[in-house]
Amino acid sequence: MLKSTTYVASWLVPFILIMLITGCNNTPKAQQPSTPSDSAAKPPVAASSDQVNKTVPETADPEPTPQATANPNDKVSLASVDSAHKPEEETEPVKPTHTKPKIDIQDPYNQAKPTLLGLTLKSAPDAVTGKYGKPKEQFQMDDETDPITVYDYTDFLVGFNKQNQLQFIDIRSSDINPGLNGLKLGQSTAAVFKALGKPDTNTSYVMTYKSKGAILKLDIDPKTDKVNSIKLFAE
């Protein structure tokens, strides 16, 4: 009995030792705390300019957009361009207006001193222009013996011979007073008798009043019995 117990004990001791050894090997090792890697522990290093140039693709800088600056002369220049290209509006040419001379009769007609428009025959051109200004037009009536230079004042004409003496006066408008005691163009023969008296010659077409060196001639329209022309000319 003692032998068997000793035998069992001698067998159990190595078995227990084997189990203890086996158990120690299978015991999980304590997890060691992880330490940061060298790459994580090291601070980041700034990339060099060469590396940046290599990593970042080069792009062309965009051209700067020109900024419009307000120029006070722009409006003027634009207006000038517009006016240069803008077609001009068609306008009728303005006709020069001719001011009628003021008729101021200080010496009315009478047979002893025949006048018309206050002008006396054989007067110089200066006497006419000094009284009525420059004529609207001037032209010459051809005459073989004595050419006449005519001053046209629209409402009346005056003519000068080659000696520059007033040769005739011709009334053309009823708007002016010729200085015949109120008689004007367009009035009747009855008004002629009232203003000038009895004529030296009287036909259905012409009434004349003769003076020394002058003749006053009135043309009459027989249909209307009215004066349509008044002339004073040298005899």
Side-chain angles (χ1 to χ4, degrees), residues 113-166:
K113 186 182 179 180
T115 61
L116 202 58
L117 294 174
L119 300 173
T120 305
L121 295 178
K122 296 185 179 180
S123 297
D126 292 343
V128 179
T129 56
K131 190 176 184 66
Y132 297 114
K134 293 182 179 180
K136 180 183 177 181
E137 294 182 10
Q138 180 176 329
F139 59 91
Q140 190 171 31
M141 296 174 60
D142 293 333
D143 191 305
E144 293 181 359
T145 58
D146 192 3
I148 301 296
T149 301
V150 179
Y151 288 4
D152 185 354
Y153 285 90
T154 305
D155 290 334
F156 62 91
L157 304 176
V158 295
F160 299 91
N161 57 23
K162 61 183 179 181
Q163 287 81 26
N164 285 328
Q165 295 177 341
L166 184 59

Side-chain angles (χ1 to χ4, degrees), residues 43-201:
V45 180
S48 64
S49 60
D50 294 338
Q51 291 176 338
V52 172
N53 293 334
K54 291 181 180 179
T55 57
V56 180
E58 295 181 357
T59 57
D61 293 337
E63 295 182 358
T65 303
Q67 298 294 328
T69 57
N71 188 347
N73 295 326
D74 288 347
K75 294 183 179 180
V76 178
S77 61
L78 291 175
S80 301
V81 173
D82 292 342
S83 61
H85 292 283
K86 184 177 180 181
E88 295 183 356
E89 296 180 358
E90 296 183 358
T91 57
E92 295 183 358
V94 178
K95 296 181 179 180
T97 57
H98 181 70
T99 304
K100 291 184 178 182
K102 182 179 179 180
I103 307 298
D104 183 14
I105 305 300
Q106 296 180 355
D107 298 320
Y109 173 88
N110 63 74
Q111 284 188 300
K113 186 182 179 180
T115 61
L116 202 58
L117 294 174
L119 300 173
T120 305
L121 295 178
K122 296 185 179 180
S123 297
D126 292 343
V128 179
T129 56
K131 190 176 184 66
Y132 297 114
K134 293 182 179 180
K136 180 183 177 181
E137 294 182 10
Q138 180 176 329
F139 59 91
Q140 190 171 31
M141 296 174 60
D142 293 333
D143 191 305
E144 293 181 359
T145 58
D146 192 3
I148 301 296
T149 301
V150 179
Y151 288 4
D152 185 354
Y153 285 90
T154 305
D155 290 334
F156 62 91
L157 304 176
V158 295
F160 299 91
N161 57 23
K162 61 183 179 181
Q163 287 81 26
N164 285 328
Q165 295 177 341
L166 184 59
Q167 186 72 15
F168 74 83
I169 305 167
D170 185 1
I171 306 301
R172 294 293 184 91
S173 173
S174 60
D175 294 334
I176 62 173
N177 176 18
L180 296 175
N181 301 318
L183 180 66
K184 296 182 180 181
L185 285 178
Q187 293 183 338
S188 65
T189 55
V192 176
F193 280 97
K194 183 179 179 180
L196 302 175
K198 184 180 178 180
D200 295 307
T201 303

